[in-house]
Amino acid sequence: MPEKRNGSEPSPTHREGAKEGRGEMRELDLLDTALEGSNLIEASAGTGKTYAITGLVLRLILEAGVLIQQILVVTFTEAATSELKDRIRNRIREAVDALSGARTEDPFLQGLLQRHAEPPSRQSALRRLHCALTDFDQAAIFTIHGFCLRTLQDHAFASGMLFDAELVTEQDSLVRDIVRDFWRSHFYAASPLFYAHARSSGLSPDKLHSLVGKNLFNPHLKVIPRHALTDCSTLEERFMESFDKVSRLWDSSRDTVETILLESSALNRSKYKQASIPGWVREMDLQLQGECLSCSLCKSFTKFTRGAIEKSIKKGHEPPSHGFFDLAQELLEAAEALRTAYDERILGLKAAFIEQLRARLEARKASKNILFFDDLLVKLERALTEPGGEHLAEVVRHRFRAALIDEFQDTDSIQYSIFQKIFGDGSAPLFLIGDPKQAIYGFRGADIFSYMEASRRTSRRFTLSENWRSEPGLISGVNAVFNREHPPPFVYEEIGFKPATPAKAKKHELLRVEGREPAPLRFWLLKAAQFSDGNRIFKGRARPLIVGAVAAEISRLVALGRE
């Protein structure tokens, strides 16, 4: 069923004392909301966001005298763009039919009819709507990338966009080339100790490539913490010298050290079990024979250090002494210091990789005169920021006298920066429509903090509370789960939960299973105790269990329906 909203009937809880103002939220009155300034419409799924957008477009055409090609509508995907075009075109046709005398039960269209009841007003409204249908092929309904591309192409001189630049849908081959170049230049000539540590830490060309996420090329993104490319040569020399000393002394003192650990009456045998010591000695044989190729020491190495022995002495006893224990302690400390320095160097290399990737990828694409989708956003935001950017923003504002940004919760910082620079001065109506609860999960690269920043900057905030999609019982159940203030259900105070109400004008068919109405909201619990890790169920293990449980329940309900 299509989404519907009765914009002329705000809920009673919002009628009394409702004032438009920053920081306050009221129910959206689709018929009477002022078509000016910056506005944020927060609404959950099924509450009629698309219905509200089509209604605002109609009012902009009829009341503000804005042409269809002067109304910018931005959504996220090509599919959503196509749907919005169909919904807006059909809505204009419905308005034409209603103003031409066709009967309508739509409260919003009824409100428009009352406003244009007089023949001159009605004829003027019909002319504007017919003009909108005639010019609908010029409607400015885009994805965010489509909007950026059109703006860059239309204002190539102001934006620095080359006329013959090719838009490509894939840049991963370029990224992989840069990854391989970086790996060769920083790891092929590295010391064997560092290379071994990096590999044992899981670092590889594929791991570097995995750092390349969707948001990586956002110039607002900062890499923290920052680590310099630590020079580890001094620590390496200290470690190698210490290793050589321990190795030489082990060759001459192996049997003596083993005898001390086996026979010392001062050692706590719960920590130095005699049955374990021969195995530890064999591990030390393997550790200390031949060339040192890693700064990682065997698990039992600490048992031969002075520190470990001193912590394992019986009360009233003196720890056994031998020069090997002191040298082993020094080697342990040298290894720990070297591993720490190596870890910092790895973090520094990751940060350097990201910086070089950004610079080199941009240079390679410039040399090939190609652009990827996200480059469109970066180039437009840069053009709006650099000298002359205000003029470009003014030109775009002159072209688009109103803007509606759908699925605004999926906006990241660079997208919000573009809209803010163009429409942030409030001279043109701006409506941001979205559901902040969805932004929490970072779908499509969404940035929850950009959404909260937009919420703070908008002059008016609205909500849609009438749910046309879900059953009343489910709506009530969800309200009961999330309608609390302490602690905030979505962590951040700025993202509150607005209880929804079932649509009054929608008829709901009662679902009955086994002769009774099932609970609209159910919780299924997995018992962690049945798993080997005892108190946690990891996602990889839980997912197939959840899918299996849902499939079994669906099969059960289908079988009941057949009976």
Side-chain angles (χ1 to χ4, degrees):
M1 178 177 179
E3 292 179 300
K4 293 184 179 180
R5 275 289 305 131
N6 183 354
S8 62
E9 294 294 333
S11 62
T13 55
H14 292 278
R15 279 197 188 124
E16 298 179 6
K19 296 180 180 179
E20 292 185 352
R22 183 176 177 179
E24 299 180 10
M25 182 169 290
R26 57 179 292 186
E27 184 79 9
L28 178 67
D29 186 340
L30 190 53
L31 269 173
D32 293 318
T33 294
L35 301 176
E36 61 185 22
S38 57
N39 307 268
L40 180 66
I41 302 175
E42 293 187 359
S44 300
T47 54
K49 294 189 291 293
T50 304
Y51 184 90
I53 290 172
T54 59
L56 290 170
V57 170
L58 280 179
R59 287 190 58 205
L60 286 166
I61 293 171
L62 295 176
E63 298 173 22
V66 182
L67 301 178
I68 188 66
Q69 58 266 39
Q70 295 175 324
I71 304 173
L72 174 64
V73 182
V74 176
T75 189
F76 207 89
T77 65
E78 293 287 354
T81 301
S82 178
E83 181 184 359
L84 260 181
K85 285 181 179 179
D86 289 341
R87 296 285 289 273
I88 292 173
R89 183 191 289 112
N90 291 337
R91 196 68 170 139
I92 295 173
R93 287 172 176 161
E94 290 173 2
V96 168
D97 292 342
L99 289 168
S100 300
R103 181 177 176 80
T104 179
E105 299 296 330
D106 188 305
F108 176 73
L109 293 180
Q110 290 175 348
L112 291 182
L113 287 174
Q114 293 176 8
R115 288 187 176 175
H116 301 281
E118 297 300 323
S121 176
R122 184 163 297 193
Q123 291 303 315
S124 175
L126 281 170
R127 281 196 299 272
R128 291 179 177 178
L129 292 176
H130 280 300
C131 182
L133 288 174
T134 301
D135 296 338
F136 199 82
D137 285 345
Q138 303 175 45
I141 305 172
F142 302 111
T143 63
I144 177 61
H145 297 102
F147 164 66
C148 291
L149 178 61
R150 178 67 62 87
T151 303
L152 290 168
Q153 289 176 334
D154 290 350
H155 308 284
F157 288 109
S159 64
M161 173 84 165
L162 297 177
F163 288 104
D164 59 346
E166 179 187 359
L167 183 63
V168 299
T169 59
E170 186 271 332
Q171 62 178 356
D172 193 60
S173 58
L174 293 177
V175 171
R176 289 191 178 276
D177 285 344
I178 295 171
V179 169
R180 287 191 287 266
D181 288 346
F182 185 88
W183 186 265
R184 283 192 292 266
S185 62
H186 289 87
F187 291 92
Y188 279 17
S191 73
L193 286 175
F194 176 69
Y195 185 81
H197 181 77
R199 295 292 288 170
S200 66
S201 300
L203 195 61
S204 66
D206 287 341
K207 183 65 175 180
L208 284 179
H209 185 265
S210 70
L211 297 177
V212 186
K214 175 177 175 55
N215 289 322
L216 180 62
F217 304 103
N218 186 333
H220 301 169
L221 183 69
K222 296 180 180 179
V223 179
I224 56 174
R226 293 305 304 268
H227 287 276
L229 294 180
T230 310
D231 181 4
C232 304
S233 58
T234 301
L235 291 174
E236 285 180 349
E237 291 176 5
R238 174 191 165 194
F239 171 78
M240 292 301 298
E241 289 174 359
S242 182
F243 184 90
D244 288 341
K245 292 178 182 178
V246 169
S247 181
R248 287 196 301 269
L249 188 55
W250 180 255
D251 288 341
S252 61
S253 305
R254 174 189 184 278
D255 294 340
T256 303
V257 170
E258 182 177 12
T259 300
I260 292 174
L261 296 183
L262 284 170
E263 298 179 359
S264 174
S265 60
L267 288 173
N268 183 334
R269 289 303 165 185
S270 65
K271 297 182 178 180
Y272 279 78
K273 296 178 180 179
Q274 291 175 325
S276 301
I277 292 173
W280 298 345
V281 171
R282 287 192 295 272
E283 285 187 15
M284 290 293 282
D285 288 336
L286 294 173
Q287 174 76 70
L288 298 174
Q289 69 180 5
E291 185 181 359
C292 178
L293 299 176
S294 172
C295 60
S296 296
L297 302 175
C298 62
K299 187 176 181 181
S300 61
F301 187 88
T302 56
K303 295 294 186 178
F304 296 84
T305 63
R306 182 183 66 251
I309 290 173
E310 289 177 348
K311 292 178 181 178
S312 305
I313 299 304
K314 297 177 182 177
K315 189 174 181 180
H317 288 71
E318 291 295 324
S321 62
H322 192 281
F324 183 83
F325 302 145
D326 297 324
L327 288 180
Q329 183 68 37
E330 292 177 10
L331 178 56
L332 178 66
E333 293 170 358
E336 290 174 347
L338 184 57
R339 285 196 297 270
T340 299
Y342 280 165
D343 288 340
E344 291 180 356
R345 182 172 178 80
I346 288 172
L347 287 175
L349 283 170
K350 288 179 178 179
F353 164 70
I354 291 173
E355 290 181 355
Q356 291 185 29
L357 175 65
R358 287 170 167 172
R360 293 180 181 179
L361 187 61
E362 183 174 0
R364 292 192 183 189
K365 286 188 287 190
S367 67
K368 296 176 179 291
N369 197 20
I370 59 176
L371 293 171
F372 185 61
F373 289 116
D374 289 343
D375 296 322
L376 301 172
L377 279 70
V378 173
K379 282 189 172 293
L380 181 55
E381 201 256 354
R382 186 181 297 165
L384 291 167
T385 304
E386 293 176 347
E390 179 52 40
H391 174 69
L392 175 59
E394 186 178 350
V395 171
V396 177
R397 279 195 300 272
H398 181 73
R399 176 180 178 180
F400 299 114
R401 293 175 52 194
L404 297 91
I405 314 302
D406 187 25
E407 302 290 0
F408 186 70
Q409 76 278 348
D410 293 327
T411 298
D412 61 23
S413 61
I414 190 169
Q415 295 170 28
Y416 173 61
S417 175
I418 290 171
F419 296 132
Q420 179 63 22
K421 284 178 169 60
I422 297 175
F423 300 105
D425 66 350
S427 60
L430 173 65
F431 288 87
L432 309 174
I433 305 101
D435 181 0
K437 299 185 293 298
Q438 296 182 36
I440 295 171
Y441 302 100
F443 296 147
R444 304 166 178 164
D447 176 20
I448 186 63
F449 300 104
S450 295
Y451 189 98
M452 290 192 290
E453 174 67 16
S455 178
R456 286 189 289 267
R457 285 180 177 240
T458 50
S459 54
R460 288 183 299 274
R461 300 172 65 214
F462 302 98
T463 187
L464 298 170
S465 62
E466 202 170 16
N467 189 307
W468 287 82
R469 185 175 301 168
S470 303
E471 296 298 312
L474 180 58
I475 295 171
S476 178
V478 172
N479 288 343
V481 171
F482 292 105
N483 191 19
R484 66 180 191 273
E485 296 182 0
H486 304 290
F490 303 107
V491 181
Y492 299 104
E493 294 286 352
E494 295 93 331
I495 307 176
F497 177 75
K498 310 299 184 299
T501 58
K504 297 177 182 178
K506 179 181 178 181
K507 294 182 179 179
H508 298 277
E509 296 183 7
L510 291 179
L511 174 67
R512 303 190 71 83
V513 177
E514 296 177 329
R516 59 187 177 85
E517 187 177 353
L521 182 63
R522 297 171 60 189
F523 292 93
W524 293 347
L525 303 179
L526 293 175
K527 296 181 180 179
Q530 64 183 290
F531 297 94
S532 59
D533 40 49
N535 57 6
R536 289 187 296 178
I537 305 176
F538 293 100
K539 182 169 62 176
R541 185 177 296 179
R543 183 181 287 116
L545 296 172
I546 295 171
V547 172
V550 172
E553 180 67 8
I554 292 175
S555 298
R556 187 181 72 86
L557 293 175
V558 170
L560 287 172
R562 289 172 178 169
E563 293 176 0

